[in-house]
Amino acid sequence: MTEELSKQYNPQTTETKWYRTWEAENLFSAQVRPDRLAYSIVIPPPNITGILHMGHALNNTIQDILIRYKTLRGFSALWMPGTDHAGIATQNVVEKALAKEGIKRQDLGREKFVARAWEWKQLYGSTIINQLKKLGCACDWERLRFTMDPDYSAAVIEVFVRLYEKKLIYQGNYIINWCPRCQTALSDEEASHLELQGNLYYLKYPFKDNPQEFICVATTRPETMLGDTAVAVNPKDKRYKKYIGKFLILPLINRPIKIIADHLIDMQFGSGAVKVTPAHDPNDYALGKKHGLEFIQVMHPDGSMNELAGKYSGLDRFKARAAILDDLAAAGLLEKVTPHTLSAGHCYRCHTLVEPYLSQQWFVKMKPLAKPAIAAVKKGKIKFHPARWTKVYLNWVENIQDWCISRQIWWGHRMPVYYCKNCQKHDPQSGVIVSRIKPLQCPKCGLEDLVQEQDVLDTWFSSWLWPFAIFYWPKENAELKYFYPTSTLVTGPDIIFFWVARMIMAGFEFTQQAPFKDVYLHGTIRDSQGKKMSKSLGNAIDPLEIISEYGTDALRFSLVSITTQGQDVYLSKDRFEQGRNFANKIWNASRFILTNLKTENLNIDSSADTKNTKNEKLDIVNRWILSRFYTTLEKVTQELEGYKFNEAANRLYAFFWHEFCDWYLELIKPQIDQKNTQVVMYKILEKYLKLIHPFMPFISEEIWQRLPGAQGSIMRQSWPQLQKQWISKQDEAQMELVFNLINAIRNMRSELEIDPASRSDIQLTVSDQALRLALMPLAGYIKHLARIDNLIFLENYIVQKNQYVTVLKDLHIAMPLEGIVDTAALLAKIDLKTAKILSEIKNKENMLSNKNFTNRAPAEIIQGEKDKLVLMREQLKKLEVIKNGLR
RNA sequence: GGGCUCAUAGCUCAGUUGGUUAGAGCGUUGCGUUGACAUCGCAAAGGUCAGUGGUUCAAGUCCACUUGGGCCCACCA
């Protein structure tokens, strides 16, 4: 070793060094290689406004594990990176920045505003990309895409035009979710329903021909009453039957409205009479259409009341509500107010209460697109992991509603729709032109008076093309052919509807294929209270802070080790200590191995473990660790293939710490210069580094580079081959017994409070001859780790005074007592053990005397139970003997 | 209203198709020694597996219900 290794692992210097090297050496780049199988993942593109949070950290760590693992397994593994323009989110951020300068977006105008947004994107849009690099992500950065790249935008336009031509896109006047703050339409998915503590207001509407009499209606949104155009009752309702067809006077506005009948009205709810506001409520809209009612809109897009709201015009909707209630109360028309919980949509970007609003928007007809997306999942062409999400997905796709895709913002893909002003004079519909490129003149009238649609497309209308548009679809090309369909999608269940389902639909519609085979859905990261971790709640643990405090590998390992498949993650900061300590453990074990390695011992090529026939040349300790290593390799491989990342991580942790370090390295210390031991020790470390590399890329590379046999980056190595011939249950069982023996002796010493520095003598009685002969060669190990001077093997136990004896299966471990010993305390302990064994024996006896059990249980289970009983009885007998010895 | 999910050691959680005496990390207690590691080692304490009932030779594991968390979907105004 030319360089001293420090006592502690220092992640900071290591991480930046290796990430730079990997980038410089182009190790993230995946090529189209016909000689290899392709494995590909497209990143869920983070918003350009995004800042790395724990959700990203988990999501991208999992993807990185898959990519690094598949690369080691010999796939041409591509991780496609990119960012999302995030229409509303980005527009809001840019507007906020402008507000600091005292500018509104309207002051700038569309063009200048969009220019400012691009500027913002250039400045801050890759923040998250740099943060992903700190996480160690092995993305092919040269292929970085953005949802508003020119090619990508062309794909979006292409898709719009194709759907329009198939009549799957239409324009119409409907009630949509409107965010009065963002001043744009939202899709149903973008309006997240939150429970609100509100009131049910009972309003009295007087009859037109008899103003002394009233019908009472119940509403949660009294301000919309200004737009009422009817009152509806159930035709079967005896209370109101006689009034159907009569007129009421809408208070405050004094407009006559008709009483209509519809069996959709629930007689039980409220007063049984419903005010109908077709322009401000989706149900009322349907009623309005059905009964030919007038649609009166009383609100501006910003949520304030408009000129049709009479004296309330100009008031914000909530102020208008208060004023209207006051006025109704003053007029004696507010019958009562009862508390009422309701759930109402809130803008998923700014959390403002969404207003159902009648407006002209563009929609995608989803039912035809859903068909193949349903079939593919049902047939298992696409699999969800964990499978329970399949049901959630299917439930949504099978009940899919049309998708409102137009947004009244400026940042995004402007719709490829043009209006001919001339044609629209005669008929609004005939003036609509949908075209891939801006037409110079109207194809119908030939005039050049064309304007482009102001609206942009929903951000998700570009994201749903991600898996193929990222590969320059619709252009035919080698990448698309080779890497698409992609292999695995890794994301959170919160965007199954927004994104996953729509990608599946787009995949089938535009490429006739499923865009991916597996969908792995990880849990949501929550704080220790179970709340979703988010910046706005102030409960977030910043991954970058964890990286600088504990290291990236520690962050990654800790996160993954607590992510049970699909289960939410409750996180507190101290979890990351485990990862940091583990990295340090790997570091120090490697340091120990490397400083004790005699390179001349290593004929790397003729490594002992690859030859099946040389078994007997290795002693059991080396055979044992090889057996354990290959068992670990086999299981970890299975677990990674099955997306059980936490199980793989915890297995790797337990193997390295408790088997390799705690037992193996301690056992071999006295024989560390022995050639076979050197080879095995080195080989295990070398292979282990590859297994841990997907989880902890930095430390594994750092140590890898210090191995005498290392050539090139660990990223370019291959996953170890499983050598089943090394897996030996017999060797494992024998070592297990040695460990139990050592533990028992340590335990005795601890119980007897023997000075740790001193050494003891042990008489070990093993009646089974074969076992005795097997254990005798291992005496050296036992003496070494249990701190024993003289270890004497006996065939038959002889009761002796002044001995402390423990029973382990059918072994007797006897230790001479020296000095003053609290015999009473030892006896008490033995009594406790005796009592425990007695009750267990009783249980077993009951079990075995039960004919139902002996008749029905499998033979090997019964035999196992019998063996146990025999062993227990032996133990009991021995405990009795020991007791007598102590007295 | 429908659906999903969770309840196991003081805390955070594992526990594969039912089959040893139910595990880990952290925390706690005691002791610190062996040719890497105090971000460490050794030992110990700590559990009626939320409750009730059922299926079974056998239930933490399967079923039903109950209680208490969390989440999603749905147009009762």
Side-chain angles (χ1 to χ4, degrees):
Chain A
M1 297 301 299
T2 50
E3 196 186 335
E4 277 287 304
L5 277 79
S6 73
K7 239 175 145 173
Q8 279 181 9
Y9 173 58
N10 178 351
Q12 270 67 37
T13 49
T14 306
E15 290 169 8
T16 42
K17 176 178 69 184
W18 289 117
Y19 204 88
R20 243 181 251 153
T21 310
W22 293 333
E23 273 199 300
E25 292 180 6
N26 229 7
L27 296 179
F28 298 143
S29 123
Q31 304 303 326
V32 173
R33 292 190 52 171
D35 57 323
R36 289 187 184 198
L37 288 173
Y39 181 87
S40 56
I41 295 179
V42 292
I43 201 169
N47 292 349
I48 47 172
T49 56
I51 293 170
L52 194 79
H53 55 62
M54 276 299 167
H56 291 124
L58 174 63
N59 176 253
N60 289 290
T61 296
I62 290 171
Q63 293 175 77
D64 198 46
I65 288 170
L66 285 169
I67 288 292
R68 289 177 185 271
Y69 165 67
K70 290 288 179 179
T71 305
L72 289 173
R73 297 223 64 182
F75 287 80
S76 184
L78 169 64
W79 188 4
M80 275 299 282
T83 49
D84 193 299
H85 68 279
I88 300 173
T90 305
Q91 172 140 339
N92 286 349
V93 166
V94 175
E95 278 185 21
K96 253 183 214 161
L98 286 173
K100 279 189 188 155
E101 304 168 29
I103 309 172
K104 282 187 184 164
R105 74 168 209 233
Q106 289 79 3
D107 303 336
L108 281 181
R110 184 169 192 141
E111 245 174 71
K112 281 187 182 158
F113 177 85
V114 170
R116 279 294 294 257
W118 274 108
E119 251 171 60
W120 189 94
K121 192 253 172 192
Q122 300 311 337
L123 279 174
Y124 307 109
S126 44
T127 304
I128 185 112
I129 294 301
N130 295 324
Q131 292 171 337
L132 289 177
K133 292 182 178 181
K134 289 218 75 171
L135 235 199
C137 294
C139 295
D140 192 347
W141 296 114
E142 289 185 358
R143 297 178 192 265
L144 184 75
R145 302 297 314 270
F146 176 53
T147 50
M148 278 172 62
D149 284 343
D151 298 281
Y152 200 101
S153 299
V156 173
I157 299 307
E158 176 68 25
V159 158
F160 185 96
V161 173
R162 286 195 194 180
L163 289 176
Y164 182 80
E165 285 170 352
K166 269 183 101 170
K167 304 233 180 319
L168 291 177
I169 281 183
Y170 63 93
Q171 189 182 25
N173 215 18
Y174 295 98
I175 298 258
I176 43 80
N177 299 293
W178 181 267
C179 175
R181 204 218 61 84
C182 300
Q183 297 215 28
T184 177
L186 300 171
S187 66
D188 292 344
E189 292 69 37
E190 288 170 322
S192 45
H193 284 246
L194 296 178
E195 201 147 271
L196 286 180
Q197 212 45 250
N199 292 314
L200 199 52
Y201 303 92
Y202 288 77
L203 316 180
K204 296 202 277 193
Y205 288 7
F207 283 97
K208 189 184 171 193
D209 48 7
N210 182 6
Q212 306 312 314
E213 297 277 320
F214 310 93
I215 279 188
C216 190
V217 295
T219 180
T220 55
R221 290 155 66 217
E223 66 279 9
T224 63
M225 59 96 55
L226 303 173
D228 285 2
T229 54
V231 163
V233 298
N234 193 298
K236 288 182 190 156
D237 197 326
K238 283 175 196 153
R239 293 170 292 178
Y240 302 116
K241 222 171 179 173
K242 53 193 173 215
Y243 302 129
I244 292 164
K246 297 207 171 196
F247 282 84
L248 298 164
I249 292 293
L250 188 63
L252 308 179
I253 299 255
N254 297 321
R255 179 154 41 76
I257 55 174
K258 201 175 175 180
I259 299 170
I260 61 169
D262 198 297
H263 29 258
L264 288 175
I265 308 302
D266 180 355
M267 291 186 272
Q268 309 302 318
F269 190 87
S271 62
V274 186
K275 62 190 268 312
V276 182
T277 324
H280 287 278
D281 183 276
N283 292 317
D284 294 5
Y285 174 85
L287 277 178
K289 280 275 170 197
K290 195 167 161 190
H291 294 271
L293 302 175
E294 218 185 323
F295 294 75
I296 300 177
Q297 199 157 35
V298 293
M299 234 178 253
H300 286 301
D302 67 355
S304 67
M305 307 311 285
N306 69 14
E307 52 287 348
L308 292 178
K311 66 180 268 207
Y312 309 101
S313 113
L315 283 183
D316 173 78
R317 50 187 172 154
F318 300 115
K319 284 190 179 146
R321 176 182 297 180
I324 286 167
L325 287 169
D326 280 351
D327 290 350
L328 285 170
L333 296 174
L334 181 62
E335 191 180 271
K336 59 174 175 175
V337 180
T338 59
H340 182 70
T341 56
L342 66 154
S343 83
H346 289 72
C347 173
Y348 86 133
R349 283 295 169 215
C350 71
H351 310 111
T352 302
L353 182 69
V354 159
E355 200 63 32
Y357 199 68
L358 182 64
S359 64
Q360 176 95 343
Q361 303 290 345
W362 289 84
F363 300 85
V364 181
K365 211 188 242 180
M366 298 304 277
K367 285 242 151 56
L369 299 180
K371 260 191 177 173
I374 294 167
V377 170
K378 280 190 171 166
K379 277 187 212 149
K381 280 188 194 166
I382 299 173
K383 286 203 179 83
F384 286 86
H385 306 266
R388 65 186 148 90
W389 295 109
T390 313
K391 217 170 141 184
V392 176
Y393 164 87
L394 283 175
N395 184 51
W396 186 78
V397 193
E398 284 171 349
N399 297 293
I400 200 158
Q401 303 293 313
D402 285 358
W403 176 15
C404 175
I405 51 167
S406 44
R407 297 290 177 273
Q408 288 65 49
I409 56 173
W410 288 343
W411 176 244
H413 300 103
R414 198 161 170 182
M415 298 176 59
V417 174
Y418 306 86
Y419 300 103
C420 169
K421 284 186 180 171
N422 179 48
C423 293
Q424 280 200 320
K425 276 182 206 156
H426 317 294
D427 168 20
Q429 279 307 311
S430 76
V432 178
I433 305 148
V434 169
S435 166
R436 287 174 179 82
I437 44 166
K438 185 178 180 174
L440 294 172
Q441 55 190 50
C442 174
K444 281 187 186 141
C445 68
L447 291 181
E448 292 171 17
D449 200 6
L450 299 175
V451 284
Q452 186 171 1
E453 167 65 61
Q454 295 294 310
D455 291 354
V456 301
L457 288 158
D458 180 4
T459 300
W460 299 101
F461 192 88
S462 55
S463 323
W464 75 329
L465 316 176
W466 190 245
F468 50 90
I470 205 170
F471 294 115
Y472 299 90
W473 179 92
K475 285 178 212 148
E476 294 268 337
N477 66 80
E479 267 81 8
L480 185 64
K481 232 179 182 171
Y482 185 70
F483 290 116
Y484 184 87
T486 66
S487 312
T488 307
L489 179 77
V490 180
T491 190
D494 48 328
I495 52 172
I496 290 178
F497 308 145
F498 276 118
W499 195 46
V500 181
R502 287 176 181 153
M503 278 193 289
I504 296 174
M505 292 189 264
F508 281 105
E509 175 66 18
F510 302 108
T511 70
Q512 289 73 50
Q513 294 183 77
F516 29 72
K517 296 173 195 80
D518 287 325
V519 180
Y520 176 78
L521 297 158
H522 56 248
T524 308
I525 304 232
R526 302 176 182 281
D527 69 4
S528 45
Q529 313 298 312
K531 291 210 179 77
K532 189 171 171 172
M533 209 171 257
S534 79
K535 221 176 142 193
S536 53
L537 285 173
N539 59 355
I541 301 173
D542 180 1
L544 296 168
E545 212 175 280
I546 299 298
I547 286 176
S548 63
E549 211 171 313
Y550 298 91
T552 300
D553 288 334
L555 168 79
R556 293 168 57 120
F557 187 84
S558 294
L559 267 184
V560 167
S561 71
I562 54 176
T563 309
T564 311
Q565 200 180 37
Q567 227 41 62
D568 285 357
V569 179
Y570 290 67
L571 199 63
S572 66
K573 207 175 154 184
D574 52 9
R575 279 315 294 240
F576 297 105
E577 285 176 15
Q578 193 192 356
R580 177 200 59 185
N581 295 354
F582 185 39
N584 198 54
K585 190 73 180 177
I586 296 175
W587 180 252
N588 275 296
S590 307
R591 191 160 72 96
F592 171 72
I593 292 169
L594 291 175
T595 48
N596 282 290
L597 212 55
K598 310 275 184 298
T599 23
E600 65 272 17
N601 283 329
L602 298 179
N603 296 324
I604 308 288
D605 293 334
S606 65
S607 54
D609 69 322
T610 52
K611 285 185 200 155
N612 192 9
T613 50
K614 295 286 164 87
N615 258 14
E616 67 280 4
K617 275 189 117 178
L618 286 187
D619 58 88
I620 183 163
V621 172
N622 280 315
R623 294 204 308 269
W624 167 76
I625 196 66
L626 284 166
S627 177
R628 293 303 309 146
F629 174 80
Y630 284 113
T631 305
T632 304
L633 169 66
E634 185 176 27
K635 291 264 171 64
V636 165
T637 306
Q638 282 166 8
E639 284 155 353
L640 284 175
E641 293 293 334
Y643 301 105
K644 306 208 163 148
F645 302 105
N646 69 319
E647 289 175 32
N650 291 327
R651 187 180 303 283
L652 286 168
Y653 178 93
F655 168 78
F656 193 85
W657 200 309
H658 299 307
E659 299 188 302
F660 188 61
C661 291
D662 288 351
W663 284 117
Y664 178 76
L665 289 184
E666 293 304 330
L667 283 167
I668 57 146
K669 272 178 183 171
Q671 64 183 52
I672 197 157
D673 290 338
Q674 197 198 328
K675 194 172 169 182
N676 279 339
T677 301
Q678 290 252 316
V679 173
V680 171
M681 170 178 91
Y682 175 78
K683 277 283 155 187
I684 300 264
L685 174 65
E686 187 242 296
K687 286 172 196 288
Y688 183 82
L689 289 174
K690 296 174 189 170
L691 302 199
I692 202 67
H693 175 254
F695 299 84
M696 307 176 92
F698 293 109
I699 192 172
S700 53
E701 178 77 291
E702 175 69 24
I703 298 168
W704 175 264
Q705 295 288 342
R706 294 167 185 270
L707 298 184
Q711 286 189 341
S713 165
I714 193 166
M715 289 181 66
R716 284 291 168 263
Q717 308 305 316
S718 38
W719 194 248
Q721 290 274 327
L722 176 60
Q723 315 265 356
K724 272 207 164 154
Q725 70 274 16
W726 284 104
I727 297 178
S728 160
K729 288 288 157 223
Q730 203 189 329
D731 288 345
E732 291 192 13
Q734 199 155 328
M735 286 308 290
E736 204 62 41
L737 184 63
V738 172
F739 298 152
N740 288 335
L741 187 55
I742 292 169
N743 282 337
I745 297 170
R746 282 170 172 173
N747 193 339
M748 289 163 85
R749 287 169 57 94
S750 173
E751 278 175 355
L752 293 170
E753 290 176 339
I754 291 173
D755 175 11
S758 79
R759 304 181 74 91
S760 324
D761 290 342
I762 289 283
Q763 289 177 17
L764 188 61
T765 311
V766 192
S767 11
D768 184 285
Q769 193 186 347
L771 188 60
R772 193 168 62 250
L773 290 177
L775 281 177
M776 284 171 77
L778 299 172
Y781 295 117
I782 298 164
K783 284 159 84 174
H784 171 224
L785 288 191
R787 298 195 58 76
I788 290 167
D789 268 342
N790 297 303
L791 177 60
I792 298 162
F793 283 86
L794 297 174
E795 194 179 339
N796 293 303
Y797 177 60
I798 310 146
V799 186
Q800 283 177 24
K801 283 280 167 190
N802 296 321
Q803 273 195 341
Y804 184 38
V805 184
T806 290
V807 171
L808 178 77
K809 295 194 174 165
D810 54 349
L811 308 186
H812 259 83
I813 311 164
M815 187 183 287
L817 293 177
E818 285 158 24
I820 311 140
V821 172
D822 188 349
T823 330
L826 294 180
L827 276 169
K829 270 182 190 168
I830 290 170
D831 281 340
L832 221 89
K833 280 182 201 167
T834 312
K836 207 177 161 195
I837 279 238
L838 267 172
S839 87
E840 278 159 12
I841 287 177
K842 215 174 203 175
N843 281 343
K844 284 274 171 291
E845 283 172 346
N846 287 343
M847 193 179 192
L848 285 163
S849 62
N850 183 343
K851 287 223 163 116
N852 283 327
F853 173 70
T854 46
N855 289 343
R856 300 192 197 194
E860 69 261 29
I861 298 280
I862 296 171
Q863 192 52 52
E865 296 298 329
K866 278 185 183 162
D867 293 350
K868 271 177 238 157
L869 182 58
V870 170
L871 217 62
M872 282 173 185
R873 284 181 175 148
E874 285 285 303
Q875 284 186 38
L876 184 66
K877 246 191 257 168
K878 282 168 186 168
L879 282 172
E880 290 302 322
V881 176
I882 291 163
K883 240 195 277 183
N884 294 335
L886 269 176
R887 279 190 188 119

